[in-house]
Amino acid sequence: MDGGGRLWILVTLLLTLAAAAAAAASTTRRRHAYAAMMYMGTPRDYEFYVAMRVMMRSLAKLNVDADLVVIASVDVPVRWVQTLQEEDGVRVVTVENLKNPYENQDNFNTRFKLTLNKLYAWSLVSYDRVVMLDSDNIFLQRTDELFQCGQFCAVFINPCIFHTGLFVLQPSMDVFKNMLHELEIGRENPDGADQGFLASYFPDLLDQPMFHPPINGTKLDGTYRLPLGYQMDASYYYLKLRWSIPCGPNSVITFPSAPWLKPWYWWSWPVLPLGLSWHEQRRKNLGYGSEVPVLLIQAIMYAGIIAVTRLARPSLSKLCYNRRPEKSIMILHTMLKVAAMWSILAAYTVPFFLIPRTVHPLLGWSLYVLGVASLSSIVINVFLLPPLPVLTVLLGILGSLVVMAFPWYSDGVVRALVVFAYAFCCAPMVWASLIKVSSSLQNLLEREAFFPRLGESTQVPEFNKLY
């Protein structure tokens, strides 16, 4: 064999060994983990699944030196688990749901029924430290220094109660079993959820020192308070419209808000300005491929409705001949008014519920406006209403979006005052539009052309041109 052949064999062998080493490295577990939990049984399971994927992918993009772990209940769909494992590189640990002994408390909220599954984090004993997360976190930078913290570390968003949206723990089967025992004997739990239980289990955390990562990289022992920069409550931003957190690095944003105002919902922006930050992370890390086909179908459907209603204007006149006593006509008038008002309401609400909840806000609001305009065109043509009064509310919504999205407010108080002033100015116009619609309906119903007398022949075209 000549020198060239030997060189080729050597290169091939080296490439094979490198590939094997890379594969082995990818399957080797690291000493630390970022973990989150996922369970089923709420109306928002899919949205939290999407949020989980965005958070895990953002951590992977930050090149964190840790495994990504999801503690998933046994009823999580298999395809979701496979997607997390194969596409997102996440290790999925399947667990049985822990029974919540506090569900009969007077103040218990059923959406927290399975949050005690978070306790399974202490069973991840193959790791030295675990950072346990809720899915509504946005990571602005790496936070691997948290793995130097002690046996339990958390942030106090509330002055007296720490927040369990992010905390550091040292896994221990002894601690895990003791927690299960405390559940059995009914340890005090103010809210019946994971936060109340952990606050009761670690009651002295408020008196512990603040965590400062050692420069030499060693791990600390004991319990510590984490600086607020590791759980920057979004409500702090809404007050100043900027971050001003002096305690520790500004690393993680959290959204402990009402469930329907989480940042992944398209309607959360511009109501809450930071919603766009979450969607920017999704755009970069996950994309919107699963929702785009639905958006295209709806957009084409709405455009088709607008095109048809521009070409033809069907009239209900021929359905309303005066062949009944006057009393019946009055009932018919009332029914038509009610039908018109409900149709306008439906035109504004139906598109909202058809849009996929986790699409980008710019796409969501654009499709909503298109949907309202298309369905309103049907109402305008069927009941022969003037377009402007029917669409006044839509124009008001568009104006409010512009007012809320204006990026140069000095602070959140000024922004709130401007939004209130806008709403105050718009209210009379909305009221006037409703009166105009009602009067238009009344005038239409009183026309002899719309209700021909018995015995008279009135030619009514099947379709009238709208323009």
Side-chain angles (χ1 to χ4, degrees):
M1 183 180 297
D2 59 8
R6 293 192 186 94
L7 180 60
W8 173 251
I9 293 174
L10 181 60
V11 170
T12 304
L13 180 60
L14 290 174
L15 290 174
T16 303
L17 291 174
S26 65
T27 58
T28 301
R29 290 182 188 172
R30 297 183 175 93
R31 296 173 56 197
H32 309 126
Y34 288 95
M37 67 172 177
M38 184 168 59
Y39 54 82
M40 309 300 291
T42 74
R44 298 171 291 277
D45 291 337
Y46 176 75
E47 293 93 284
F48 278 92
Y49 161 69
V50 172
M52 177 87 63
R53 294 191 64 196
V54 172
M55 183 179 68
M56 290 299 178
R57 287 205 174 193
S58 67
L59 284 168
K61 197 166 185 178
L62 289 172
N63 296 315
V64 295
D65 186 20
D67 283 348
L68 305 178
V69 178
V70 169
I71 301 171
S73 59
V74 292
D75 51 353
V76 171
V78 175
R79 60 187 179 86
W80 291 7
V81 173
Q82 291 176 342
T83 299
L84 286 168
Q85 292 173 328
E86 298 171 6
E87 297 184 18
D88 302 334
V90 172
R91 177 193 171 201
V92 178
V93 178
T94 304
V95 298
E96 294 285 345
N97 289 321
L98 290 179
K99 179 175 175 55
N100 193 318
Y102 308 104
E103 53 187 321
N104 294 323
Q105 288 185 179
D106 293 338
N107 65 337
F108 184 75
N109 191 325
T110 54
R111 69 189 178 96
F112 297 136
K113 180 178 179 180
L114 298 177
T115 56
L116 290 175
N117 284 0
K118 194 175 289 187
L119 303 184
Y120 276 112
W122 272 268
S123 69
L124 301 176
V125 292
S126 59
Y127 298 105
D128 292 345
R129 294 289 190 276
V130 171
V131 175
M132 190 66 194
L133 304 165
D134 284 347
S135 56
D136 58 353
N137 286 305
I138 294 179
F139 280 78
L140 305 180
Q141 59 185 5
R142 284 180 57 166
T143 57
D144 288 358
E145 69 276 6
L146 287 174
F147 297 121
Q148 296 176 244
C149 204
Q151 279 68 46
F152 184 78
C153 311
V155 180
F156 280 81
I157 293 179
N158 180 298
C160 300
I161 303 173
F162 61 80
H163 184 55
T164 56
L166 179 150
F167 59 88
V168 185
L169 64 105
Q170 181 180 16
S172 167
M173 286 304 298
D174 290 337
V175 174
F176 178 61
K177 291 176 182 178
N178 183 257
M179 287 180 168
L180 297 183
H181 174 70
E182 294 294 329
L183 288 178
E184 291 177 0
I185 65 176
R187 171 184 277 273
E188 181 183 1
N189 188 339
D191 60 9
D194 62 293
Q195 180 156 310
F197 178 82
L198 291 175
S200 174
Y201 197 86
F202 298 98
D204 301 325
L205 190 64
L206 184 60
D207 302 322
Q208 303 308 309
M210 186 70 71
F211 166 69
H212 298 286
I215 299 177
N216 59 6
T218 58
K219 289 183 171 61
L220 301 175
D221 289 322
T223 56
Y224 291 85
R225 291 179 293 120
L226 293 177
L228 191 58
Y230 290 110
Q231 279 287 265
M232 299 189 297
D233 189 339
S235 59
Y236 298 156
Y237 179 88
Y238 301 142
L239 183 61
K240 297 284 189 180
L241 294 183
R242 65 181 184 275
W243 289 116
S244 181
I245 307 294
C247 304
N250 294 355
S251 301
V252 186
I253 305 172
T254 187
F255 296 84
S257 56
W260 291 106
L261 286 177
K262 293 295 186 182
W264 43 82
Y265 293 118
W266 61 266
W267 59 81
S268 68
W269 181 87
V271 179
L272 302 178
L274 283 175
L276 209 59
S277 300
W278 186 91
H279 280 279
E280 184 62 16
Q281 286 220 356
R282 177 175 180 179
R283 185 188 66 80
K284 292 179 179 178
N285 297 311
L286 186 62
Y288 295 88
S290 58
E291 288 98 344
V292 167
V294 179
L295 296 178
L296 288 176
I297 291 172
Q298 290 189 27
I300 292 171
M301 178 185 70
Y302 292 143
I305 291 173
I306 293 175
V308 169
T309 53
R310 283 182 62 86
L311 293 174
R313 188 172 185 174
S315 173
L316 292 181
S317 344
K318 54 184 184 175
L319 300 179
C320 303
Y321 285 101
N322 187 1
R323 294 172 180 166
R324 299 180 181 178
E326 200 67 28
K327 183 177 179 180
S328 299
I329 288 300
M330 293 301 296
I331 295 174
L332 182 59
H333 285 191
T334 303
M335 291 175 61
L336 283 174
K337 286 183 179 180
V338 172
M341 291 301 180
W342 275 103
S343 298
I344 294 173
L345 180 62
Y348 277 88
T349 55
V350 170
F352 183 91
F353 293 104
L354 293 181
I355 299 171
R357 295 174 180 175
T358 57
V359 300
H360 195 283
L362 296 179
L363 296 176
W365 282 114
S366 299
L367 189 59
Y368 175 73
V369 170
L370 181 62
V372 172
S374 66
L375 297 186
S376 295
S377 68
I378 297 176
V379 178
I380 290 168
N381 290 345
V382 168
F383 295 99
L384 306 178
L385 298 173
L388 185 58
V390 175
L391 296 175
T392 296
V393 175
L394 181 60
L395 296 175
I397 292 174
L398 283 172
S400 68
L401 295 178
V402 173
V403 169
M404 288 187 288
F406 185 75
W408 294 293
Y409 292 113
S410 59
D411 56 52
V413 175
V414 173
R415 179 177 183 265
L417 290 175
V418 172
V419 172
F420 176 79
Y422 175 83
F424 183 80
C425 295
C426 283
M429 290 185 283
V430 173
W431 180 252
S433 69
L434 292 176
I435 294 176
K436 179 65 176 176
V437 169
S438 179
S439 62
S440 297
L441 281 171
Q442 185 63 34
N443 293 337
L444 180 65
L445 294 173
E446 290 175 353
R447 290 179 189 170
E448 289 189 356
F450 197 78
F451 290 98
R453 291 190 178 90
L454 182 62
E456 295 182 357
S457 71
T458 303
Q459 294 183 355
V460 181
E462 290 188 16
F463 297 97
N464 300 320
K465 291 289 184 181
L466 181 58
Y467 297 104

